Amino acid sequence: TYAIGGYVNERYYDKHRNLFQFDYDNPKCCGSERPQANERVIHVRGYSGEMARKFKKKGFEELSANKTADELLGAATNRDEPITVLSRFASIGTSYVDVLQARGWKNARFLTTETGEQSFCYLMRAQKEMIGYSMSSFASWGAMLG
């Protein structure tokens, strides 16, 4: 069962899973990286890097690294668990890792992949928790199909 905009849809779940079928064992498709079972995955879309002049005007503003650490993860008690920041933009992704590590997340790391398919596979494989922005189709579909 998954929800799109509050609408729960069981009827088409299997069809959507088949539509987004990937060869998980092929490194060229999904890469060699796999989330750990107890790992939190944060997908930072990087709208400011992609649409530098228009992202705010178009409503694509993301939470800052500080707000992500404080508001989304502030109540988490076990900061020894692994947490991965996944992004196409190293400067944006590493800034999130720096803030998380300053807040006590010792096992925070940055990950970028070679292709969009590899990123999508990584998001779909997250088991513990996947955090992303609803404006990101990767995060939305990865959460629904993972």
Side-chain angles (χ1 to χ4, degrees):
T1 305
Y2 64 92
I4 301 175
Y7 174 69
V8 176
N9 189 342
E10 294 177 3
R11 183 176 178 186
Y12 299 108
Y13 180 75
D14 289 333
K15 289 181 181 182
H16 285 142
R17 294 266 315 156
N18 288 334
L19 179 66
F20 288 100
Q21 208 161 38
F22 291 90
D23 185 357
Y24 291 114
D25 296 322
N26 181 349
K28 290 182 180 178
C29 180
C30 283
S32 57
E33 290 277 348
R34 308 238 183 317
Q36 298 173 38
N38 65 337
E39 178 180 348
R40 286 181 165 90
V41 178
I42 300 174
H43 179 240
V44 178
R45 177 67 172 70
Y47 294 115
S48 62
E50 190 172 300
M51 302 182 262
R53 290 184 287 145
K54 297 182 180 180
F55 76 100
K56 285 185 182 179
K57 186 184 287 185
K58 292 188 174 200
F60 288 97
E61 191 168 3
E62 296 173 303
L63 283 181
S64 69
N66 287 319
K67 283 191 173 197
T68 299
D70 295 339
E71 295 178 19
L72 296 181
L73 297 167
T77 56
N78 187 357
R79 300 200 175 196
D80 291 328
E81 292 178 336
I83 188 165
T84 296
V85 176
L86 180 70
S87 180
R88 292 186 314 159
F89 301 97
S91 62
I92 295 170
T94 54
S95 69
Y96 280 73
V97 171
D98 292 343
V99 168
L100 290 167
Q101 288 176 340
R103 302 286 200 289
W105 293 93
K106 295 180 273 189
N107 295 314
R109 70 180 183 124
F110 171 71
L111 175 66
T112 192
T113 58
E114 293 178 23
T115 67
E117 291 85 359
Q118 290 175 355
S119 296
F120 193 65
C121 284
Y122 198 86
L123 292 173
M124 286 196 311
R125 289 176 162 179
Q127 295 175 44
K128 179 178 177 79
E129 183 175 31
M130 196 275 289
I131 299 168
Y133 303 101
S134 62
M135 296 292 284
S136 168
S137 57
F138 266 34
S140 296
W141 280 103
M144 287 186 273
L145 299 175

